Amino acid sequence: MKNIRFIFYGIIFSFILIRVEAISWFRIQEMFHFQSFHMYGVLLSGIAVAMIGLKLLNKYAGIETKSKPLQLPANIIGGISFGIGWGITGACSAPLYSLIGLQLWPATIALLGALIGTFIYAVLKKKLPHNYEFRNKTDKNTSTAISQ
Amino acid sequence: MNQLYDIIFVKPWPWWVGGPLIGIFVILLLIIERKQLGISSSYQYICAKVSPWKLDYFKEPEKNAWQFFFILGVIAGGAILSFLTPAYEIGISEETIVTLDQIGIHEQKGFAPAEIYNFSTSSLLVIGLGGVLLGFGARYANGCTAGHAIMGCAQLAPSSIITTIGFFVGGLLATYLIIPLIL
């Protein structure tokens, strides 16, 4: 039960997301219609502060972070799929949980869908193109080209 | 006192309050817990715990256990705020109110429109399918808005920048092609 303290972090994170309206379907629509700077401001200022913090942590505390590996087909197709889900439900992963807490009960169906989507990915994982398969293919192509 | 309560709990925060707080949160989580912000691995954890099938993807769920407790907190945070903020004020632009009215979303209140977030079969189907795309995409892309768009872009990781562009392409497709179709 050493992980129980993370409930506290979750409450704080949820509080910030709700109060700045990052969980609002309307705000997400506003963002995708380019009608307000609000959500761009939230994302860009959040990224900027985190970026400066990461640089300082790295320089003065020696804390390094791991970047997610580049997997082009996965990043692109997965990203677009996630984006469509984000646009429809007006909530990404954390806001979906916040909405359930706010007793917007249809959000539970979206979460159920997300879990089904995760199952679909787990089953299909080996058949889906990820970066390394993509690279293998190009390697094969170049090697046949050379042997020819 | 009442004014302070309004500012903290009732009036929508401007972006320059919430955005930097998210950034500070990311850094504190890293300093105190040595954890990189991420949410969607919680799906992997929950599925691994309930899966009747043994799939490779569901091996070693415990490394994501902290995210499961984190999302329990996110749910709790929503529940707590629902009691602290009885009269919620919405802060979207006039322009968006007009646009949404034109496509059939007439009442802009709360966090989501009643036209989409309701219990009719068609709405549940739409939200459920949106959820499927959300969950599948997050796991296939190896992260969501938290892990890729915020944490990953702050690292200037190429994978995260490309995925974030993908998020926006998908979001624009949904906004301009799918939402008008389902209303």
Short mmCIF file of all heavy atoms in Angstrom, two decimals, chain A residues 5 7 9 14 19 21 25-27 30 32 35 45-47 51 65-66 68 75 78 81 83 89 92 97-98 101-103 113-114 118 126 129, chain B residues 8-11 13 19 33 36 42 56 73-75 79 82 88 91 93 96 99 111 117 131-133 137 140 142 145 149 154-155 159 163 167 175:
data_model
loop_
_atom_site.label_atom_id
_atom_site.label_comp_id
_atom_site.label_asym_id
_atom_site.label_seq_id
_atom_site.Cartn_x
_atom_site.Cartn_y
_atom_site.Cartn_z
N ARG A 5 -0.22 7.18 -1.24
CA ARG A 5 0.02 8.63 -1.26
C ARG A 5 -0.27 9.25 -2.62
O ARG A 5 -0.51 10.45 -2.73
CB ARG A 5 1.45 8.93 -0.83
CG ARG A 5 2.50 8.40 -1.80
CD ARG A 5 3.89 8.71 -1.29
NE ARG A 5 4.90 8.34 -2.26
CZ ARG A 5 5.34 7.10 -2.46
NH1 ARG A 5 4.84 6.11 -1.74
NH2 ARG A 5 6.26 6.85 -3.37
N ILE A 7 -2.83 8.98 -4.31
CA ILE A 7 -4.21 9.48 -4.33
C ILE A 7 -4.20 10.98 -4.07
O ILE A 7 -4.89 11.75 -4.75
CB ILE A 7 -5.08 8.75 -3.26
CG1 ILE A 7 -5.23 7.28 -3.65
CG2 ILE A 7 -6.44 9.42 -3.13
CD1 ILE A 7 -5.99 6.45 -2.64
N TYR A 9 -1.77 13.12 -4.73
CA TYR A 9 -1.29 13.82 -5.93
C TYR A 9 -2.41 13.92 -6.98
O TYR A 9 -2.56 14.94 -7.64
CB TYR A 9 -0.10 13.06 -6.56
CG TYR A 9 1.17 13.17 -5.76
CD1 TYR A 9 1.52 12.21 -4.82
CD2 TYR A 9 2.03 14.24 -5.96
CE1 TYR A 9 2.69 12.30 -4.09
CE2 TYR A 9 3.21 14.35 -5.24
CZ TYR A 9 3.54 13.38 -4.31
OH TYR A 9 4.69 13.48 -3.60
N SER A 14 -6.25 16.80 -10.36
CA SER A 14 -7.64 16.91 -10.78
C SER A 14 -8.16 18.31 -10.49
O SER A 14 -8.85 18.92 -11.32
CB SER A 14 -8.48 15.87 -10.04
OG SER A 14 -9.75 15.76 -10.58
N ARG A 19 -10.33 23.33 -12.40
CA ARG A 19 -10.45 24.77 -12.20
C ARG A 19 -10.00 25.58 -13.42
O ARG A 19 -10.49 26.67 -13.66
CB ARG A 19 -9.69 25.21 -10.94
CG ARG A 19 -10.21 24.61 -9.65
CD ARG A 19 -11.69 24.91 -9.40
NE ARG A 19 -11.91 26.32 -9.21
CZ ARG A 19 -12.66 27.07 -10.02
NH1 ARG A 19 -13.28 26.53 -11.06
NH2 ARG A 19 -12.81 28.33 -9.81
N GLU A 21 -10.46 24.45 -16.34
CA GLU A 21 -11.44 23.99 -17.35
C GLU A 21 -10.85 23.12 -18.45
O GLU A 21 -11.43 23.04 -19.53
CB GLU A 21 -12.18 25.18 -17.95
CG GLU A 21 -12.98 25.97 -16.93
CD GLU A 21 -13.81 27.07 -17.57
OE1 GLU A 21 -13.20 27.94 -18.22
OE2 GLU A 21 -15.03 27.05 -17.43
N TRP A 25 -15.72 19.92 -22.06
CA TRP A 25 -16.00 19.60 -23.47
C TRP A 25 -16.04 20.89 -24.28
O TRP A 25 -15.54 20.96 -25.40
CB TRP A 25 -17.34 18.87 -23.56
CG TRP A 25 -17.69 18.33 -24.91
CD1 TRP A 25 -17.47 17.06 -25.37
CD2 TRP A 25 -18.34 19.04 -25.99
NE1 TRP A 25 -17.93 16.94 -26.66
CE2 TRP A 25 -18.47 18.13 -27.06
CE3 TRP A 25 -18.81 20.34 -26.16
CZ2 TRP A 25 -19.06 18.48 -28.28
CZ3 TRP A 25 -19.39 20.69 -27.37
CH2 TRP A 25 -19.51 19.77 -28.42
N PHE A 26 -16.61 21.95 -23.69
CA PHE A 26 -16.76 23.23 -24.39
C PHE A 26 -15.40 23.87 -24.66
O PHE A 26 -15.16 24.43 -25.73
CB PHE A 26 -17.64 24.18 -23.57
CG PHE A 26 -19.01 23.63 -23.30
CD1 PHE A 26 -19.37 23.20 -22.03
CD2 PHE A 26 -19.94 23.52 -24.32
CE1 PHE A 26 -20.63 22.69 -21.79
CE2 PHE A 26 -21.21 23.02 -24.09
CZ PHE A 26 -21.56 22.59 -22.81
N ARG A 27 -14.51 23.79 -23.69
CA ARG A 27 -13.16 24.35 -23.86
C ARG A 27 -12.40 23.63 -24.96
O ARG A 27 -11.65 24.24 -25.72
CB ARG A 27 -12.38 24.26 -22.55
CG ARG A 27 -12.72 25.33 -21.54
CD ARG A 27 -12.22 26.68 -21.99
NE ARG A 27 -12.31 27.67 -20.93
CZ ARG A 27 -12.28 28.99 -21.16
NH1 ARG A 27 -12.17 29.45 -22.39
NH2 ARG A 27 -12.36 29.82 -20.16
N GLU A 30 -13.74 24.76 -28.22
CA GLU A 30 -13.24 26.11 -28.43
C GLU A 30 -11.81 26.07 -28.97
O GLU A 30 -11.44 26.79 -29.90
CB GLU A 30 -13.29 26.86 -27.10
CG GLU A 30 -12.90 28.31 -27.13
CD GLU A 30 -12.84 28.88 -25.72
OE1 GLU A 30 -12.06 28.37 -24.88
OE2 GLU A 30 -13.56 29.83 -25.45
N PHE A 32 -10.32 23.50 -30.60
CA PHE A 32 -10.25 22.95 -31.96
C PHE A 32 -10.90 23.86 -33.00
O PHE A 32 -10.69 23.71 -34.20
CB PHE A 32 -10.87 21.54 -32.01
CG PHE A 32 -10.00 20.49 -31.37
CD1 PHE A 32 -10.53 19.56 -30.48
CD2 PHE A 32 -8.64 20.43 -31.65
CE1 PHE A 32 -9.73 18.59 -29.89
CE2 PHE A 32 -7.84 19.46 -31.06
CZ PHE A 32 -8.38 18.54 -30.18
N GLN A 35 -10.89 29.40 -31.33
CA GLN A 35 -11.65 30.60 -30.97
C GLN A 35 -11.21 31.25 -29.67
O GLN A 35 -11.77 32.25 -29.25
CB GLN A 35 -13.15 30.27 -30.93
CG GLN A 35 -13.71 30.10 -32.34
CD GLN A 35 -15.08 29.49 -32.36
OE1 GLN A 35 -15.45 28.76 -31.45
NE2 GLN A 35 -15.84 29.76 -33.40
N SER A 45 1.95 27.09 -21.56
CA SER A 45 2.60 27.57 -20.33
C SER A 45 2.97 26.39 -19.44
O SER A 45 4.01 26.41 -18.78
CB SER A 45 1.72 28.58 -19.59
OG SER A 45 0.53 27.98 -19.15
N GLY A 46 2.13 25.36 -19.43
CA GLY A 46 2.46 24.15 -18.66
C GLY A 46 3.73 23.51 -19.17
O GLY A 46 4.64 23.16 -18.40
N ILE A 47 3.83 23.39 -20.51
CA ILE A 47 5.03 22.80 -21.12
C ILE A 47 6.25 23.68 -20.83
O ILE A 47 7.31 23.16 -20.46
CB ILE A 47 4.83 22.64 -22.65
CG1 ILE A 47 3.76 21.58 -22.93
CG2 ILE A 47 6.14 22.26 -23.32
CD1 ILE A 47 3.26 21.57 -24.38
N MET A 51 9.44 22.55 -18.87
CA MET A 51 10.70 22.49 -19.61
C MET A 51 11.82 23.19 -18.85
O MET A 51 12.93 22.64 -18.71
CB MET A 51 10.51 23.15 -20.99
CG MET A 51 11.58 22.79 -21.99
SD MET A 51 11.35 23.69 -23.54
CE MET A 51 9.77 23.09 -24.09
N THR A 65 15.46 12.47 -17.05
CA THR A 65 14.18 11.83 -17.37
C THR A 65 14.33 11.00 -18.63
O THR A 65 15.23 11.22 -19.43
CB THR A 65 13.07 12.88 -17.60
OG1 THR A 65 13.52 13.79 -18.60
CG2 THR A 65 12.77 13.63 -16.32
N LYS A 66 13.43 10.01 -18.76
CA LYS A 66 13.46 9.15 -19.94
C LYS A 66 12.44 9.63 -20.95
O LYS A 66 11.27 9.81 -20.62
CB LYS A 66 13.14 7.70 -19.55
CG LYS A 66 14.38 6.83 -19.40
CD LYS A 66 14.04 5.36 -19.52
CE LYS A 66 13.20 4.88 -18.36
NZ LYS A 66 12.98 3.43 -18.30
N LYS A 68 10.05 9.08 -24.26
CA LYS A 68 9.39 7.93 -24.86
C LYS A 68 10.05 7.65 -26.21
O LYS A 68 10.40 8.58 -26.94
CB LYS A 68 7.90 8.22 -25.04
CG LYS A 68 7.16 8.35 -23.71
CD LYS A 68 5.71 8.72 -23.92
CE LYS A 68 5.00 9.07 -22.64
NZ LYS A 68 4.47 7.92 -21.91
N ASN A 75 3.14 6.34 -33.13
CA ASN A 75 2.91 7.71 -32.68
C ASN A 75 1.88 8.42 -33.55
O ASN A 75 1.00 9.13 -33.05
CB ASN A 75 4.21 8.51 -32.69
CG ASN A 75 5.20 8.04 -31.62
OD1 ASN A 75 6.41 8.09 -31.81
ND2 ASN A 75 4.70 7.56 -30.50
N GLY A 78 -1.69 6.09 -33.61
CA GLY A 78 -2.22 6.14 -32.24
C GLY A 78 -2.60 7.55 -31.85
O GLY A 78 -3.64 7.79 -31.25
N SER A 81 -5.83 8.54 -33.60
CA SER A 81 -6.95 7.83 -32.98
C SER A 81 -7.33 8.46 -31.64
O SER A 81 -8.50 8.76 -31.37
CB SER A 81 -6.57 6.35 -32.78
OG SER A 81 -7.48 5.71 -31.92
N GLY A 83 -6.69 11.48 -30.72
CA GLY A 83 -7.20 12.83 -30.97
C GLY A 83 -8.68 12.82 -31.34
O GLY A 83 -9.45 13.67 -30.88
N THR A 89 -15.28 13.00 -27.15
CA THR A 89 -15.67 12.96 -25.73
C THR A 89 -15.35 14.28 -25.04
O THR A 89 -15.87 14.56 -23.96
CB THR A 89 -14.95 11.83 -24.97
OG1 THR A 89 -13.54 12.08 -25.01
CG2 THR A 89 -15.22 10.47 -25.59
N CYS A 92 -9.61 14.02 -22.34
CA CYS A 92 -8.54 13.05 -22.52
C CYS A 92 -8.48 12.20 -21.26
O CYS A 92 -9.40 12.22 -20.46
CB CYS A 92 -7.22 13.73 -22.88
SG CYS A 92 -6.87 15.19 -21.91
N TYR A 97 -11.47 10.79 -15.92
CA TYR A 97 -11.61 10.37 -14.53
C TYR A 97 -12.22 11.50 -13.69
O TYR A 97 -13.07 11.27 -12.82
CB TYR A 97 -10.26 9.97 -13.95
CG TYR A 97 -9.68 8.69 -14.54
CD1 TYR A 97 -8.49 8.71 -15.27
CD2 TYR A 97 -10.28 7.46 -14.32
CE1 TYR A 97 -7.93 7.55 -15.79
CE2 TYR A 97 -9.74 6.29 -14.84
CZ TYR A 97 -8.56 6.34 -15.57
OH TYR A 97 -8.02 5.19 -16.07
N SER A 98 -11.80 12.76 -13.97
CA SER A 98 -12.35 13.90 -13.23
C SER A 98 -13.86 13.98 -13.44
O SER A 98 -14.62 14.22 -12.49
CB SER A 98 -11.72 15.21 -13.69
OG SER A 98 -10.35 15.24 -13.37
N GLY A 101 -15.71 11.65 -11.35
CA GLY A 101 -15.77 12.17 -9.98
C GLY A 101 -16.81 13.27 -9.84
O GLY A 101 -17.47 13.39 -8.80
N LEU A 102 -16.97 14.05 -10.90
CA LEU A 102 -17.97 15.13 -10.89
C LEU A 102 -19.38 14.61 -11.15
O LEU A 102 -20.31 15.37 -11.33
CB LEU A 102 -17.61 16.19 -11.94
CG LEU A 102 -16.39 17.06 -11.62
CD1 LEU A 102 -15.89 17.75 -12.88
CD2 LEU A 102 -16.73 18.10 -10.58
N GLN A 103 -19.50 13.31 -11.20
CA GLN A 103 -20.78 12.61 -11.37
C GLN A 103 -21.44 12.89 -12.72
O GLN A 103 -22.67 12.94 -12.82
CB GLN A 103 -21.74 12.96 -10.23
CG GLN A 103 -21.25 12.45 -8.88
CD GLN A 103 -21.15 13.58 -7.87
OE1 GLN A 103 -22.09 14.33 -7.70
NE2 GLN A 103 -20.02 13.70 -7.20
N GLY A 113 -15.20 2.31 -22.68
CA GLY A 113 -14.72 2.25 -24.06
C GLY A 113 -13.20 2.29 -24.10
O GLY A 113 -12.57 1.53 -24.83
N ALA A 114 -12.60 3.17 -23.29
CA ALA A 114 -11.14 3.31 -23.29
C ALA A 114 -10.49 2.00 -22.84
O ALA A 114 -9.44 1.60 -23.37
CB ALA A 114 -10.72 4.45 -22.37
N THR A 118 -8.05 -0.43 -24.93
CA THR A 118 -6.77 -0.94 -24.42
C THR A 118 -6.67 -2.45 -24.68
O THR A 118 -5.62 -2.97 -25.07
CB THR A 118 -6.64 -0.64 -22.92
OG1 THR A 118 -6.78 0.77 -22.73
CG2 THR A 118 -5.29 -1.10 -22.38
N LYS A 126 0.95 -7.23 -31.57
CA LYS A 126 1.99 -7.85 -32.40
C LYS A 126 1.78 -7.63 -33.89
O LYS A 126 2.70 -7.73 -34.69
CB LYS A 126 2.06 -9.35 -32.10
CG LYS A 126 2.79 -9.61 -30.80
CD LYS A 126 3.00 -11.08 -30.54
CE LYS A 126 3.65 -11.28 -29.18
NZ LYS A 126 3.05 -12.42 -28.47
N PRO A 129 1.93 -2.09 -36.82
CA PRO A 129 3.29 -1.60 -37.09
C PRO A 129 3.78 -0.69 -35.97
O PRO A 129 3.10 0.26 -35.59
CB PRO A 129 3.13 -0.82 -38.40
CG PRO A 129 1.70 -0.43 -38.45
CD PRO A 129 0.94 -1.48 -37.71
N ILE B 8 -10.94 30.81 -5.82
CA ILE B 8 -10.33 29.47 -5.80
C ILE B 8 -11.29 28.40 -6.32
O ILE B 8 -10.89 27.53 -7.10
CB ILE B 8 -9.87 29.11 -4.37
CG1 ILE B 8 -8.81 30.11 -3.89
CG2 ILE B 8 -9.30 27.69 -4.32
CD1 ILE B 8 -8.39 29.94 -2.45
N PHE B 9 -12.56 28.47 -5.95
CA PHE B 9 -13.45 27.35 -6.23
C PHE B 9 -14.53 27.59 -7.27
O PHE B 9 -15.07 26.64 -7.82
CB PHE B 9 -14.14 26.88 -4.93
CG PHE B 9 -13.20 26.28 -3.94
CD1 PHE B 9 -12.85 26.98 -2.78
CD2 PHE B 9 -12.64 25.03 -4.15
CE1 PHE B 9 -11.98 26.43 -1.85
CE2 PHE B 9 -11.77 24.48 -3.23
CZ PHE B 9 -11.43 25.17 -2.08
N VAL B 10 -14.89 28.83 -7.54
CA VAL B 10 -16.06 29.05 -8.39
C VAL B 10 -15.71 29.63 -9.76
O VAL B 10 -16.03 29.05 -10.79
CB VAL B 10 -17.11 29.95 -7.69
CG1 VAL B 10 -18.34 30.11 -8.59
CG2 VAL B 10 -17.51 29.34 -6.35
N LYS B 11 -15.03 30.77 -9.80
CA LYS B 11 -14.72 31.40 -11.08
C LYS B 11 -13.66 30.60 -11.83
O LYS B 11 -12.67 30.16 -11.23
CB LYS B 11 -14.20 32.83 -10.84
CG LYS B 11 -15.27 33.76 -10.33
CD LYS B 11 -15.01 35.19 -10.76
CE LYS B 11 -16.24 36.05 -10.62
NZ LYS B 11 -16.70 36.19 -9.24
N TRP B 13 -10.44 29.52 -13.67
CA TRP B 13 -9.10 30.10 -13.61
C TRP B 13 -8.63 30.52 -15.01
O TRP B 13 -8.90 29.82 -15.98
CB TRP B 13 -8.10 29.06 -13.09
CG TRP B 13 -8.20 28.79 -11.63
CD1 TRP B 13 -9.03 29.40 -10.72
CD2 TRP B 13 -7.45 27.82 -10.90
NE1 TRP B 13 -8.83 28.86 -9.48
CE2 TRP B 13 -7.87 27.90 -9.55
CE3 TRP B 13 -6.46 26.90 -11.25
CZ2 TRP B 13 -7.33 27.08 -8.56
CZ3 TRP B 13 -5.93 26.09 -10.26
CH2 TRP B 13 -6.36 26.19 -8.93
N GLY B 19 -2.09 26.73 -16.21
CA GLY B 19 -1.01 26.17 -17.02
C GLY B 19 0.29 26.03 -16.24
O GLY B 19 0.83 24.93 -16.10
N GLU B 33 8.83 12.30 -6.00
CA GLU B 33 8.53 10.88 -6.20
C GLU B 33 9.35 10.23 -7.30
O GLU B 33 9.26 9.01 -7.51
CB GLU B 33 7.03 10.69 -6.52
CG GLU B 33 6.08 11.23 -5.46
CD GLU B 33 6.13 10.42 -4.17
OE1 GLU B 33 6.70 9.31 -4.19
OE2 GLU B 33 5.58 10.91 -3.16
N GLN B 36 7.52 10.29 -13.72
CA GLN B 36 7.20 11.14 -14.86
C GLN B 36 5.70 11.08 -15.08
O GLN B 36 5.12 10.00 -15.20
CB GLN B 36 7.95 10.65 -16.11
CG GLN B 36 9.44 10.84 -15.98
CD GLN B 36 10.20 10.48 -17.24
OE1 GLN B 36 11.34 10.03 -17.17
NE2 GLN B 36 9.59 10.69 -18.42
N SER B 42 -2.65 3.79 -16.68
CA SER B 42 -3.63 3.26 -15.72
C SER B 42 -4.61 2.32 -16.42
O SER B 42 -5.10 1.37 -15.83
CB SER B 42 -4.38 4.40 -15.02
OG SER B 42 -5.13 5.14 -15.96
N ASP B 56 0.71 -10.70 -23.45
CA ASP B 56 2.06 -10.15 -23.19
C ASP B 56 1.99 -8.74 -22.65
O ASP B 56 2.76 -8.35 -21.78
CB ASP B 56 2.88 -10.14 -24.49
CG ASP B 56 3.46 -11.52 -24.77
OD1 ASP B 56 3.30 -12.39 -23.88
OD2 ASP B 56 4.06 -11.71 -25.84
N GLY B 73 -7.23 9.22 -7.16
CA GLY B 73 -7.20 10.58 -6.64
C GLY B 73 -7.86 11.58 -7.58
O GLY B 73 -8.56 12.49 -7.13
N VAL B 74 -7.65 11.37 -8.88
CA VAL B 74 -8.26 12.27 -9.87
C VAL B 74 -9.79 12.18 -9.77
O VAL B 74 -10.50 13.19 -9.78
CB VAL B 74 -7.78 11.94 -11.30
CG1 VAL B 74 -8.52 12.80 -12.32
CG2 VAL B 74 -6.28 12.19 -11.42
N ILE B 75 -10.30 10.95 -9.62
CA ILE B 75 -11.75 10.77 -9.45
C ILE B 75 -12.20 11.44 -8.15
O ILE B 75 -13.17 12.19 -8.13
CB ILE B 75 -12.11 9.26 -9.44
CG1 ILE B 75 -11.78 8.62 -10.79
CG2 ILE B 75 -13.60 9.08 -9.11
CD1 ILE B 75 -11.96 7.11 -10.82
N ALA B 79 -14.93 14.49 -7.28
CA ALA B 79 -16.03 14.33 -6.32
C ALA B 79 -15.99 15.43 -5.27
O ALA B 79 -17.01 16.04 -4.94
CB ALA B 79 -15.95 12.96 -5.66
N SER B 82 -17.05 18.76 -6.70
CA SER B 82 -18.48 18.85 -7.01
C SER B 82 -19.26 19.33 -5.79
O SER B 82 -20.34 19.90 -5.93
CB SER B 82 -19.01 17.51 -7.51
OG SER B 82 -19.08 16.59 -6.46
N TYR B 88 -21.37 26.38 -10.78
CA TYR B 88 -20.20 26.43 -11.62
C TYR B 88 -20.37 27.44 -12.75
O TYR B 88 -21.38 27.45 -13.43
CB TYR B 88 -19.90 25.04 -12.19
CG TYR B 88 -18.69 25.05 -13.07
CD1 TYR B 88 -17.43 25.08 -12.50
CD2 TYR B 88 -18.82 25.08 -14.44
CE1 TYR B 88 -16.31 25.13 -13.30
CE2 TYR B 88 -17.72 25.12 -15.24
CZ TYR B 88 -16.47 25.14 -14.66
OH TYR B 88 -15.38 25.20 -15.47
N GLY B 91 -16.59 29.48 -18.79
CA GLY B 91 -15.84 30.63 -19.28
C GLY B 91 -15.50 30.66 -20.76
O GLY B 91 -14.54 31.30 -21.14
N SER B 93 -15.62 31.43 -24.91
CA SER B 93 -15.80 32.69 -25.66
C SER B 93 -17.18 32.75 -26.31
O SER B 93 -17.80 31.73 -26.61
CB SER B 93 -14.72 32.81 -26.73
OG SER B 93 -14.92 31.83 -27.72
N THR B 96 -17.52 30.86 -29.58
CA THR B 96 -17.73 29.41 -29.49
C THR B 96 -19.19 29.11 -29.17
O THR B 96 -19.76 28.15 -29.70
CB THR B 96 -16.82 28.81 -28.40
OG1 THR B 96 -15.49 29.26 -28.64
CG2 THR B 96 -16.86 27.30 -28.43
N THR B 99 -20.94 29.34 -32.45
CA THR B 99 -20.59 28.19 -33.30
C THR B 99 -21.31 26.93 -32.84
O THR B 99 -21.89 26.20 -33.65
CB THR B 99 -19.07 27.93 -33.25
OG1 THR B 99 -18.39 29.13 -33.57
CG2 THR B 99 -18.67 26.84 -34.23
N PHE B 111 -19.98 20.96 -17.58
CA PHE B 111 -18.69 20.59 -18.17
C PHE B 111 -18.83 19.95 -19.55
O PHE B 111 -17.88 19.87 -20.30
CB PHE B 111 -17.95 19.63 -17.25
CG PHE B 111 -17.63 20.24 -15.92
CD1 PHE B 111 -18.32 19.88 -14.78
CD2 PHE B 111 -16.63 21.21 -15.82
CE1 PHE B 111 -18.02 20.47 -13.56
CE2 PHE B 111 -16.33 21.79 -14.62
CZ PHE B 111 -17.03 21.43 -13.48
N TYR B 117 -23.68 14.17 -23.73
CA TYR B 117 -23.55 13.41 -22.49
C TYR B 117 -24.92 13.11 -21.89
O TYR B 117 -25.37 13.77 -20.97
CB TYR B 117 -22.67 14.17 -21.48
CG TYR B 117 -21.20 13.89 -21.67
CD1 TYR B 117 -20.53 14.34 -22.81
CD2 TYR B 117 -20.46 13.16 -20.73
CE1 TYR B 117 -19.19 14.09 -23.00
CE2 TYR B 117 -19.11 12.91 -20.93
CZ TYR B 117 -18.48 13.37 -22.06
OH TYR B 117 -17.14 13.10 -22.25
N GLY B 131 -14.50 6.72 -26.61
CA GLY B 131 -13.64 6.14 -25.57
C GLY B 131 -12.74 5.05 -26.12
O GLY B 131 -11.56 4.97 -25.77
N VAL B 132 -13.29 4.20 -26.98
CA VAL B 132 -12.48 3.12 -27.58
C VAL B 132 -11.29 3.72 -28.34
O VAL B 132 -10.14 3.30 -28.18
CB VAL B 132 -13.34 2.23 -28.51
CG1 VAL B 132 -12.46 1.27 -29.29
CG2 VAL B 132 -14.38 1.46 -27.71
N LEU B 133 -11.58 4.74 -29.18
CA LEU B 133 -10.51 5.38 -29.95
C LEU B 133 -9.48 6.04 -29.02
O LEU B 133 -8.28 6.01 -29.27
CB LEU B 133 -11.10 6.44 -30.89
CG LEU B 133 -11.91 5.91 -32.06
CD1 LEU B 133 -12.66 7.03 -32.75
CD2 LEU B 133 -10.99 5.18 -33.05
N GLY B 137 -5.86 4.53 -28.96
CA GLY B 137 -4.85 5.47 -29.43
C GLY B 137 -3.80 5.77 -28.37
O GLY B 137 -2.61 5.84 -28.66
N TYR B 140 -1.53 2.71 -28.12
CA TYR B 140 -0.75 2.49 -29.33
C TYR B 140 0.34 3.57 -29.44
O TYR B 140 1.50 3.28 -29.73
CB TYR B 140 -1.68 2.53 -30.54
CG TYR B 140 -1.06 2.09 -31.86
CD1 TYR B 140 0.15 1.39 -31.90
CD2 TYR B 140 -1.72 2.34 -33.07
CE1 TYR B 140 0.69 0.99 -33.12
CE2 TYR B 140 -1.18 1.93 -34.28
CZ TYR B 140 0.03 1.27 -34.30
OH TYR B 140 0.55 0.87 -35.49
N ASN B 142 1.56 5.10 -27.02
CA ASN B 142 2.40 5.00 -25.82
C ASN B 142 2.30 6.26 -24.94
O ASN B 142 3.29 6.67 -24.34
CB ASN B 142 3.84 4.71 -26.22
CG ASN B 142 4.71 4.31 -25.04
OD1 ASN B 142 4.20 3.91 -24.01
ND2 ASN B 142 6.02 4.43 -25.19
N THR B 145 -2.30 12.94 -23.38
CA THR B 145 -2.01 14.37 -23.28
C THR B 145 -1.02 14.66 -22.15
O THR B 145 -0.19 15.56 -22.27
CB THR B 145 -3.32 15.14 -23.02
OG1 THR B 145 -4.40 14.38 -23.51
CG2 THR B 145 -3.31 16.48 -23.73
N ALA B 149 1.90 15.16 -24.55
CA ALA B 149 1.75 16.59 -24.86
C ALA B 149 2.41 17.47 -23.80
O ALA B 149 3.02 18.48 -24.13
CB ALA B 149 0.27 16.95 -25.01
N ALA B 154 7.76 18.84 -23.03
CA ALA B 154 8.69 19.57 -22.17
C ALA B 154 10.10 18.98 -22.29
O ALA B 154 11.10 19.68 -22.13
CB ALA B 154 8.22 19.52 -20.71
N GLN B 155 10.18 17.68 -22.60
CA GLN B 155 11.49 17.05 -22.83
C GLN B 155 11.99 17.30 -24.24
O GLN B 155 13.10 16.90 -24.58
CB GLN B 155 11.38 15.53 -22.63
CG GLN B 155 11.05 15.09 -21.22
CD GLN B 155 10.75 13.60 -21.19
OE1 GLN B 155 9.84 13.12 -21.87
NE2 GLN B 155 11.52 12.85 -20.42
N SER B 159 9.30 11.80 -30.37
CA SER B 159 8.10 10.94 -30.36
C SER B 159 6.90 11.71 -29.83
O SER B 159 5.79 11.61 -30.35
CB SER B 159 8.36 9.71 -29.50
OG SER B 159 8.67 10.08 -28.18
N THR B 163 3.49 12.77 -31.78
CA THR B 163 2.21 12.27 -31.25
C THR B 163 1.26 13.42 -30.95
O THR B 163 0.06 13.33 -31.23
CB THR B 163 2.45 11.44 -29.97
OG1 THR B 163 3.41 10.43 -30.25
CG2 THR B 163 1.17 10.79 -29.51
N PHE B 167 -2.49 14.11 -32.12
CA PHE B 167 -3.65 14.42 -31.27
C PHE B 167 -4.48 15.54 -31.91
O PHE B 167 -5.71 15.47 -31.96
CB PHE B 167 -3.21 14.91 -29.88
CG PHE B 167 -2.57 13.87 -29.01
CD1 PHE B 167 -1.86 14.25 -27.87
CD2 PHE B 167 -2.67 12.52 -29.29
CE1 PHE B 167 -1.27 13.31 -27.04
CE2 PHE B 167 -2.08 11.57 -28.47
CZ PHE B 167 -1.37 11.97 -27.34
N THR B 175 -13.78 17.32 -34.65
CA THR B 175 -14.52 18.58 -34.51
C THR B 175 -15.26 18.97 -35.79
O THR B 175 -16.42 19.35 -35.74
CB THR B 175 -13.55 19.71 -34.11
OG1 THR B 175 -12.95 19.34 -32.87
CG2 THR B 175 -14.29 21.03 -33.94
#
